[in-house]
Amino acid sequence: MSKPFLLGAGVSAHQTEGGNIMSDWWEFEEGSLVPKGSDASGPAVDHWHRYKEDIDILAEAHLNAFRFSVEWAKIEPVRGRYDQEALQHYRDVLQYCKKKGITTCLTLWHFSLPLWAAKEGGWLSRDVQQHFLHFVETCRDEFQDLVDIWITENEPLVHVYDGYRKAKWPPLRRSRIAMMRALLALAHVHRESYAILHRGKSVREVGVAMSYIHFHTNRRMPWNIRIYAAFRSYLWNHLFFMLTRGTHDMIGVNYYITDRSGSPKPTKTKTDDMGWESHPEGLAHAIRDMSRYGVPIIVTENGIATTDDTLRIDYIREHFDATKRVKDEGIPVNGYFYWSLLDNFEWDKGFSKQFGLIAVDRESMERSPKPSLVALSAMKTVFENKEESQQ
Ligand code: BGC
């Protein structure tokens, strides 16, 4: 019997849990964002204490999968010292998912680092890389009986670009060389993490979540623009895979952006509060393109920042349709995780951008599921019907 299609939603630790005081992001927020009048993550949306309520809402909406991350800065807040309570906390979260029949997709690193690791040079330090690999081994031993899909790294390209080239995120560097070194380091760390995880008896599926950008071209465009787009796509979407061949059991596609540099924008473009165009065909393109690596694809992130939930409903339907289209072409797409389960801390944009299926009152921390959660849940029938008719 084929595995059920995974329909879920995702969050990351730093964006939702709150109190990530031992991380590089906490220091960056206090030192750089707050003085400029932006938000700090603070208690975020208190997912640390309210994870049961959040998972209950997800399960009651008949979603069958949850993607979340563990926070290295909480598990190893001081170099070499593991916090047993933090480890137990994440075991509890995973166990709670299992109790609710939810497939778990665990991300081991989603942008933030322990402050001590950042101070020692972050990913550019061999020693920090070794410490991370030890952390991976610890997570494997603690959680392997409860994790279905392991994501070693979330969007390495976004991190190295924003952190090492654009000086927008920690470690606030502006150097092409440092960016390339960080990318090579993350590729090395992924390869080693893959090997470490697979030494675990019950580890099956390991991959990364890649931020795919659709560099849009068409045949009517001048050849030089098309070549430039292909070159950028190679660097952004494929280079990491060249560096990590053979270490992916699945590919997580995070898709938000179609880049139309060099081509006129369609007249009726819909953009969200991040300024990103809604272009579902870009998701279909991303899945087709990543299927060249011959392993199953899971859409590990796809979402829209908007305060108008009707736009989110349209967005979900259209992007889900695109996913179905490529699945019907025979490409193994095994799941779709909407980003995000909750409105949360959108990195340097603070709490101003709302991606969530659930709104959170940040005073009372009360949760209010939005109609888009029901819309996502309704997508379940699309594949259920198909699976039944195939039997
Ligand atoms: C990241 C998320 C982020 C989302 C929306 C992705 O790049 O993985 O952490 O919230 O995009 O910007």
Side-chain angles (χ1 to χ4, degrees), residues 12 15 67 110-111 154-155 158 169 211 254 256 274 276 301 339 344-347 355:
S12 85
Q15 292 176 273
R67 176 177 174 225
H110 197 125
F111 296 155
N154 182 68
E155 303 189 343
V158 170
W169 287 2
S211 54
N254 292 1
Y256 298 91
M274 300 287 282
W276 295 340
E301 282 184 34
W339 185 271
N344 62 40
F345 178 71
E346 180 50 35
W347 304 110
F355 279 90

Side-chain angles (χ1 to χ4, degrees), residues 187-207:
H188 162 75
V189 164
H190 167 76
R191 287 193 305 265
E192 294 295 315
S193 303
Y194 181 88
I196 291 170
L197 288 170
H198 272 293
R199 269 179 238 132
K201 275 200 301 297
S202 40
V203 172
R204 304 266 168 278
E205 254 184 286
V206 181

Side-chain angles (χ1 to χ4, degrees), residues 279-299:
H279 182 56
E281 192 44 40
L283 176 58
H285 175 93
I287 299 171
R288 283 189 202 110
D289 193 17
M290 295 319 270
S291 73
R292 69 169 76 174
Y293 298 105
V295 293
I297 308 282
I298 293 179
V299 179

